[in-house]
Amino acid sequence: MLADLAREVAPKTESAGALAPELLEAIRSEGLFRLGVPASLGGPEQAPGPTLAAAESLARGDASAGWCVSIATTSSLLAAYLPAEGAEEVFGDPRSVASGVWAPRGRGAEADGGVVVSGQWSFCSGIQHADWLFAGFVLSGAMKVAALPRASLEVLDTWHTTGLRGTGSHDAVAREVFVPASRVLSVMDGPLHGGALYRFPVFGFFALSVAAAALGNAFGALDDFTTLAGERTPTGSRRTLAERSSTQAAVAEATASLRAARAFYYEAVAEAWAAAQGDEPVSLQAKTSLRLAATHAARTARSVVSELYDMAGGGAIYDGAALQRRFRDAHTASAHFQINAASYEVPGKVLLGVPAQTEQL
């Protein structure tokens, strides 16, 4: 399994600040970076549930690997938002991979046949192995996204962080890069290509993809703690951690919390996916459930990993300890704006009937 390989090479991935070469090649060969590419371009156009489960499974081996798959898959959905010529240029090669930062950190100027884009984008996860970057920019007051070739960008060595180090989420800089109109899109205007996958809420998918990596990381932490608990006998004790009643109760509670959060997560995905099969837009209620489930899953995952880290004691504090990496990855993931504590607010407003900006639910 790819998750087993990801777990095996996780120390190499973290120390290099990029996915280990053998893991990168395996993921690319399996097509996991391109699960959202339309069938018309030779892509799988895979349903959200199996796609998110694949990212979660990989993150159970290593959070950085699952995170990179999540971001690339979300970016691949934008093939349906591009004009046909641009979509073919970006995703026509079956090994092409895209990263994405949709936040409008750049600026554009009209040019004959397209736009000239300049800007600097942070958090470009997977930029080291990407062929393209979907970069947000402002043009005449409107938010747009341009597909920029990786070769047109300068990648700055900025990703020196607490966790998710293997994602290589460096800054990327574009200096007056010409982009033809065929490689410019608007996420807000919606997709140009049909199909249920592209009627599924794209911003909700983005939040879910980040949460998938957080969930997988937490289940991986449970695996790591279970192994540690059976082997570690704390100082002054004759029993292993696993033989302690307090540990047994805590692990049972952590497992229940994670499985409950995961069940709500996939229930919300299934509800929105069923709605996307029809001709009507997915309801605000279903979109709200997606965002609430994503945030709840990610933040439950962080709480569980923190508790496991505390219970591990001295067995988790050293560099190279799997639980230490899980702890750092969990807290780095939960800082993402899509699943931070503030991301509860809009769903809460909708649930309470308070006016809210819901365009990006």
Side-chain angles (χ1 to χ4, degrees), residues 92-324:
D93 181 341
R95 290 178 62 83
S96 178
V97 175
S99 181
V101 180
W102 305 351
R105 302 299 186 193
R107 62 188 184 279
E110 296 280 3
D112 185 22
V115 295
V116 174
V117 176
S118 297
Q120 180 168 335
W121 295 267
S122 302
F123 309 114
C124 299
S125 298
I127 190 64
Q128 291 157 297
H129 59 253
D131 303 290
W132 298 86
L133 174 70
F134 282 106
F137 69 99
V138 176
L139 178 68
S140 301
M143 292 190 296
K144 301 286 186 178
V145 176
L148 304 175
R150 166 68 176 78
S152 71
L153 302 168
E154 178 186 0
V155 176
L156 306 181
D157 183 15
T158 55
W159 191 243
H160 302 281
T161 56
T162 303
L164 293 175
R165 295 174 181 173
T167 64
S169 304
H170 300 289
D171 285 17
V173 179
R175 295 183 177 86
E176 298 189 344
V177 176
F178 174 75
V179 185
S182 60
R183 285 199 269 111
V184 177
L185 62 92
S186 170
V187 178
M188 302 304 296
D189 289 348
L192 304 177
H193 178 88
L197 179 59
Y198 311 109
R199 290 191 293 272
F200 190 90
V202 70
F203 290 105
F205 200 116
F206 187 14
L208 292 163
S209 70
V210 174
L215 265 180
N217 181 60
F219 278 106
L222 267 176
D223 296 337
D224 294 334
F225 181 82
T226 299
T227 298
L228 176 71
E231 299 171 347
R232 179 172 170 76
T233 302
T235 302
S237 175
R238 294 182 178 179
R239 294 180 299 168
T240 64
L241 275 174
E243 293 171 322
R244 291 183 167 189
S245 58
S246 58
T247 302
Q248 295 156 6
V251 166
E253 184 176 358
T255 300
S257 295
L258 268 185
R259 291 182 64 178
R262 187 179 188 274
F264 174 34
Y265 175 97
Y266 284 106
E267 175 188 287
V269 171
E271 177 188 1
W273 179 237
Q277 309 301 310
D279 296 328
E280 296 298 316
V282 175
S283 69
L284 178 59
Q285 177 186 355
K287 290 180 179 180
T288 299
S289 291
L290 286 181
R291 299 305 297 274
L292 182 58
T295 298
H296 178 63
R299 303 199 74 77
T300 299
R302 186 181 82 154
S303 296
V304 165
V305 176
S306 294
E307 184 171 1
L308 295 172
Y309 178 84
D310 284 343
M311 285 195 297
I317 63 174
Y318 290 96
D319 287 343
L323 270 173
Q324 191 216 66

Side-chain angles (χ1 to χ4, degrees), residues 74-111:
T74 306
S75 298
S76 73
L77 294 170
L78 297 187
Y81 290 69
L82 284 169
E85 181 183 350
E88 175 65 33
E89 184 180 359
V90 175
F91 290 107
D93 181 341
R95 290 178 62 83
S96 178
V97 175
S99 181
V101 180
W102 305 351
R105 302 299 186 193
R107 62 188 184 279
E110 296 280 3

